[in-house]
Amino acid sequence: STRVRSSAASDVYKRQVNMADKKRCVVTGLGLICGVGDNVKDCWDAVTLGHSGIDEVKSVDTSNCYAHKGAEVDKASSELSPENYDRSSLLCIHATNEAFEDANIDASEKNIGVILGSCVGGAASIDKYYTDEIKGDGGKKEDIFKMGASAIANNVSAHFGLEGITANIVNACAAGTMSIGYACDLIREGKGDVFIAGGSDSFSSLAFSGFHALHALDENACSPFNHSTGITLGEGSGILVIESYEHAVERGAKIYCEILGSGVSSDAYHITAPRPDGEGQMSAIRRAVESSALSFDDIDYINAHGTGTAKNDEAEFLSLHTLFGGNDHLSVSSTKSMTGHCLGAAGSIEAVFSVKAIKENLVPPTIGYSDEDLKVLSEKAGNIDFIPNKSHTKDVHYAMSNSFAFGGNNASIIFSDNEHDIPDNSKNEKIYITGISNLTGTRTDEHSLNCNLTSEDYDKHGIKVAFYRKLDRFSQLQLLSGMDALADADIKIDKDNEYKTGIVIGTADGPMTEIVDFQKKAITRGTEKGSAFSFPNTVYNAAGGYLSIFSGIKGYNATVANGNQAGLQSICYAADILADGNESVMLAAGTDENTKTNLELYTKAELLEKPLGEGSVTLVLETEESANGRNARKYAEIKGYAQAHRPVSYDNSEVNSKAVVEVIEKACMNAGIEADNIDFVCCDDKKIIKTLMPCYDVSQEIGNARAAASAMTAAYAAELLSDSEKNYEYGLALSMGAGGTYSAVILKKA
């Protein structure tokens, strides 16, 4: 639809734009669809009136399950959009269209980024593909391209024709919140003026069967901070249009509020359960408050994670009372009591409600309290207002939204209606590669290259059999590669660096083998027969979670699913985190597996131009201060990096030469050099670039290892630059992914 540039400046903060404004991020548009409505107004009216969207599940067969409740969107996929996308993408497109209309953005403004979160990705399409196959109808090729979480942000950018930085954050139930925070980081770094940020997940038999197997579902509607007997699953999408303040003012946009700081941390404790002491949750909350230059007493309202399970509610109760015990005006609620838990979309849906709470000075309730429940709540709530059953008005100047996830991932973000200067903690210092692990495959037949993992690989890091047998292959590859890279960098995680070390993992397909195996069993055996052992490994961020748990890393932890180039994109992401001053050391990795399942899918999708490979390539990125402080060996300097996007359908892997030129030019500009200064190129497919300079195609050795090959381009370039016999000064690592995303990293001899 055509959106007309607005000449009105209603609700715009009336002050001149100055240099300080360049760090300000504002919300100018909202879009929402979930179990309580298909637009922001209806959803907000429902939750403030205490109306629940939880009902009997219709889309999944729960006849033999102990639980039958869910919060489903009352629209068929065909009603959401005429496009041929997975339901998660359709929900997201629906919410994005509303957000664009609300923001009144000019349709010709193409340079808009898309950062989206998801947990289950294209689970509905996985279910459809294997249901068709098991019934004998044959899984359809077009459904394969809808399966991965990698497709969602790319589908949204293609649908609306958007050309800004595009990424899918797949940190389970923290993904929506993390996506909003990352979009703000990119704006503050000058890498875009406008972003679509949020999350999307559809109701699926995979998720229902998995949480049923964990016995984590409530037989009744979930009762957060009350009975705490389990979650109720939901579906939906929440979208925010986020702009730099000066861009919003320039176009006369209405402004809902500002986004201040955010925080991300890792529990390093358990793959599904939160730390009982709430340490990881409190770390993320502290980071958000500190990066916003606020105190805990400033927060007026918190939209809590509030899932309704005993362990989650107990840990969050402890975190809130510990940090906000002195805040005598704090209100807290869990809108999941009405929307259900929408997984990767939960944080973004709750972000929309947090923005509305500020705008309307109205706080939504947690519903489901009986008179007897209210007596119990009054005893344990302390001075915190948990808003039981009925919303109420109050002045809300600072609102926080919290999201905690499988893998021990925690995220918190703060919204404000006050003009508020946030501190600039960014570091203008060099970033070095100080550790490398190249865990890649060797040829097993004409179609495959596989890694040979042995007990010796685990023993050298002290990884016990009981631990690594819990892991799927995707996680095993990442664990070994991550520990090898730390060892190569001579870094041991301890109390001094555990919170200053982080992880970003890039993947094209994630744990697809584990996802498919779980889904096929749910289809053939029944929804009620899911495996509690394997379900935790179906989430994309499980690999990062296991690496955090074993290594003790408690800092930033993100997983990015974005096609083959995700390995190189993880390096860009990790470098951004270091530049922001959040961490001193980051592990950046590209990981993808190759199993019988992967090979079958790539064969059916006609994607075997090269033998399918696998592996995990991890690089240790470190600030100059940290590296010099411990006299680290330096392979190379990360001199510059960039991302570009030219939207095409996700099944399109043709090279866009203009995008290649753009991403190289941007990387050179970021590095402060001319393209003529580059001595060689490392890529994962020579079709990306035609050049007379030395060009190393890593896929010639390791096959189409997807994100692992992408990360390998930077690892190989760093090794070439560290070779004293090579007379190289600058190297370019280059990679592209399906859907039109390109990443480039320029490395310099250290």
Side-chain angles (χ1 to χ4, degrees):
S1 57
T2 301
R3 286 167 288 275
V4 180
R5 194 181 293 273
S6 173
S7 61
S10 59
D11 297 327
V12 176
Y13 296 167
K14 301 294 195 291
R15 75 170 193 166
Q16 279 192 322
V17 177
N18 56 43
M19 290 302 292
D21 295 326
K22 293 186 180 298
K23 287 289 182 182
R24 297 174 65 189
C25 296
V26 297
V27 178
T28 60
L30 300 173
L32 188 55
I33 183 170
C34 61
V36 294
D38 63 3
N39 60 75
V40 173
K41 183 183 184 303
D42 287 352
C43 290
W44 178 246
D45 287 348
V47 297
T48 53
L49 291 171
H51 294 170
S52 176
I54 297 171
D55 203 344
E56 297 296 309
V57 172
K58 300 179 180 65
S59 64
V60 173
D61 180 8
T62 67
S63 54
N64 294 318
C65 298
Y66 73 85
H68 311 278
K69 300 290 186 183
E72 297 167 291
V73 170
D74 190 24
K75 280 183 181 290
S77 293
S78 58
E79 295 178 87
L80 293 169
S81 173
E83 303 291 347
N84 190 25
Y85 296 134
D86 176 79
R87 185 170 175 84
S88 289
S89 293
L90 294 174
L91 290 166
C92 201
I93 288 169
H94 179 93
T96 300
N97 193 64
E98 183 188 10
F100 268 141
E101 293 286 352
D102 187 37
N104 203 19
I105 294 228
D106 194 317
S108 65
E109 187 164 352
K110 298 293 187 182
N111 194 29
I112 297 174
V114 181
I115 311 294
L116 297 174
S118 185
C119 177
V120 300
S125 293
I126 297 171
D127 190 344
K128 179 180 180 300
Y129 179 89
Y130 285 103
T131 298
D132 289 346
E133 185 180 78
I134 289 166
K135 286 181 176 178
D137 297 334
K140 295 177 176 58
K141 174 183 172 181
E142 57 266 27
D143 287 330
I144 296 174
F145 294 101
K146 303 178 192 175
M147 289 182 176
S150 284
I152 298 174
N154 290 285
N155 286 341
V156 172
S157 68
H159 182 82
F160 292 98
L162 308 178
E163 297 183 352
I165 292 174
T166 301
N168 300 274
I169 311 298
V170 285
N171 283 72
C173 307
T177 300
M178 289 178 63
S179 296
I180 297 167
Y182 183 42
C184 292
D185 291 343
L186 290 169
I187 289 174
R188 291 182 177 120
E189 291 163 13
K191 295 178 179 174
D193 286 320
V194 187
F195 280 86
I196 296 302
S200 184
D201 263 320
S202 64
F203 212 89
S204 69
S205 59
L206 187 151
F208 196 94
S209 179
F211 282 101
H212 186 274
L214 294 175
H215 214 80
L217 297 176
D218 199 325
E219 293 183 39
N220 303 301
C222 63
S223 186
F225 302 130
N226 188 8
H227 300 156
S228 300
T229 47
I231 72 171
T232 300
L233 287 173
E235 67 174 344
S237 177
I239 295 295
L240 287 74
V241 176
I242 305 172
E243 299 184 49
S244 65
Y245 175 77
E246 66 270 26
H247 186 275
V249 169
E250 181 183 355
R251 72 178 188 87
K254 73 173 184 291
I255 294 177
Y256 282 99
C257 66
E258 295 198 31
I259 303 176
L260 301 183
S262 61
V264 176
S265 71
S266 301
D267 274 358
Y269 173 72
H270 192 274
I271 200 65
T272 57
R275 290 183 66 99
D277 60 8
E279 179 188 328
Q281 296 179 9
M282 288 189 278
S283 173
I285 294 170
R286 281 194 190 96
R287 288 181 174 209
V289 171
E290 290 171 1
S291 64
S292 301
L294 298 175
S295 71
F296 297 114
D297 290 344
D298 289 320
I299 306 301
D300 299 301
Y301 169 65
I302 297 176
N303 194 302
H305 186 52
T307 61
T309 65
K311 289 183 178 180
N312 276 287
D313 286 0
E314 287 168 8
E316 194 164 9
F317 251 123
L318 177 60
S319 299
L320 295 174
H321 280 107
T322 301
L323 296 179
F324 297 95
N327 185 330
D328 60 2
H329 61 90
L330 178 65
S331 297
V332 176
S333 66
S334 172
T335 46
K336 288 185 178 73
S337 59
M338 294 165 279
T339 67
H341 191 345
C342 299
L343 304 177
S348 59
I349 290 170
E350 290 149 20
V352 173
F353 291 148
S354 299
V355 171
K356 289 292 288 183
I358 288 175
K359 189 67 177 173
E360 305 296 335
N361 284 320
L362 180 66
V363 287
T366 306
I367 67 169
Y369 288 89
S370 67
D371 290 342
E372 188 62 34
D373 295 333
L374 291 173
K375 294 177 184 178
V376 176
L377 177 65
S378 66
E379 295 173 1
K380 63 181 182 179
N383 62 343
I384 297 176
D385 167 29
F386 278 90
I387 326 177
N389 294 335
K390 293 183 179 180
S391 60
H392 62 77
T393 59
K394 71 174 292 183
D395 290 338
V396 181
H397 299 295
Y398 299 105
M400 171 182 284
S401 182
N402 294 331
S403 299
F404 313 128
F406 273 16
N409 292 153
N410 310 293
S412 181
I413 195 162
I414 296 175
F415 304 90
S416 167
D417 74 343
N418 287 335
E419 294 178 10
H420 188 78
D421 292 329
I422 62 173
D424 183 359
N425 296 319
S426 58
K427 296 179 179 179
N428 186 23
E429 63 175 297
K430 296 177 181 178
I431 297 172
Y432 291 101
I433 296 171
T434 59
I436 295 175
S437 171
N438 291 324
L439 179 59
T440 53
T442 55
R443 188 174 290 277
T444 52
D445 58 46
E446 61 177 319
H447 299 297
S448 293
L449 295 93
N450 293 90
C451 297
N452 181 28
L453 308 182
T454 69
S455 59
E456 294 179 1
D457 296 317
Y458 299 99
D459 290 344
K460 67 181 178 181
H461 297 298
I463 304 170
K464 303 297 184 185
V465 173
F467 185 81
Y468 73 76
R469 282 185 176 172
K470 296 178 183 177
L471 279 59
D472 64 300
R473 186 167 185 81
F474 177 66
S475 298
Q476 289 175 347
L477 290 166
Q478 182 58 70
L479 176 62
L480 288 175
S481 174
M483 295 309 298
D484 283 347
L486 286 171
D488 187 55
D490 195 24
I491 292 176
K492 292 181 175 59
I493 304 300
D494 54 30
K495 293 294 182 183
D496 293 329
N497 62 15
E498 60 185 1
Y499 280 108
K500 298 301 292 180
T501 306
I503 301 166
V504 179
I505 296 169
T507 184
D509 302 318
M512 189 56 70
T513 302
E514 199 75 13
I515 293 170
V516 167
D517 286 350
F518 190 94
Q519 183 68 71
K520 289 167 76 173
K521 289 173 183 175
I523 295 169
T524 56
R525 299 178 183 179
T527 309
E528 74 280 6
K529 294 292 180 64
S531 167
F533 179 81
S534 63
F535 176 60
N537 295 335
T538 65
V539 295
Y540 282 72
N541 64 317
Y546 285 123
L547 177 56
S548 166
I549 291 165
F550 184 79
S551 67
I553 292 173
K554 295 181 179 179
Y556 201 103
N557 195 332
T559 301
V560 183
N562 206 10
N564 290 7
Q565 63 83 51
L568 201 57
Q569 189 172 37
S570 77
I571 296 172
C572 300
Y573 193 163
D576 285 334
I577 299 302
L578 292 174
D580 286 343
N582 293 322
E583 315 292 0
S584 297
V585 177
M586 290 293 297
L587 275 64
T591 305
D592 272 303
E593 63 188 6
N594 178 17
T595 67
K596 180 181 177 182
T597 296
N598 298 106
L599 196 58
E600 287 176 351
L601 289 172
Y602 271 75
T603 301
K604 183 71 174 284
E606 299 178 346
L607 294 174
L608 284 181
E609 296 176 6
K610 298 180 180 181
L612 197 64
E614 70 172 355
S616 179
V617 175
T618 303
L619 295 86
V620 176
L621 275 57
E622 193 166 357
T623 62
E624 183 176 30
E625 180 182 8
S626 176
N628 288 346
R630 62 185 193 85
N631 197 29
R633 174 192 54 194
K634 300 168 183 173
Y635 282 96
E637 179 188 350
I638 301 287
K639 187 64 177 174
Y641 53 94
Q643 299 169 63
H645 189 79
R646 287 294 185 278
V648 293
S649 62
Y650 194 68
D651 59 356
N652 187 336
S653 58
E654 293 181 7
V655 178
N656 185 306
S657 58
K658 291 183 178 179
V660 174
V661 171
E662 178 188 338
V663 77
I664 294 173
E665 287 180 343
K666 284 183 175 180
C668 287
M669 186 179 299
N670 186 240
I673 66 170
E674 299 293 332
D676 290 345
N677 295 126
I678 297 171
D679 298 304
F680 66 90
V681 177
C682 285
C683 61
D684 49 1
D685 193 329
K686 276 193 175 179
K687 73 178 183 181
I688 301 173
I689 186 170
K690 295 178 181 178
T691 177
L692 297 176
M693 71 178 70
C695 185
Y696 303 92
D697 179 357
V698 300
S699 69
Q700 296 299 312
E701 292 184 19
I702 65 174
N704 179 17
R706 289 145 287 152
S710 177
M712 182 71 165
T713 63
Y716 193 57
E719 289 170 342
L720 286 172
L721 289 166
S722 67
D723 186 345
S724 59
E725 296 183 4
K726 301 284 188 183
N727 190 28
Y728 291 148
E729 183 72 14
Y730 291 100
L732 168 67
L734 186 64
S735 181
M736 68 165 283
T741 296
Y742 298 77
S743 289
V745 175
I746 293 176
L747 298 96
K748 180 183 179 183
K749 183 183 288 292

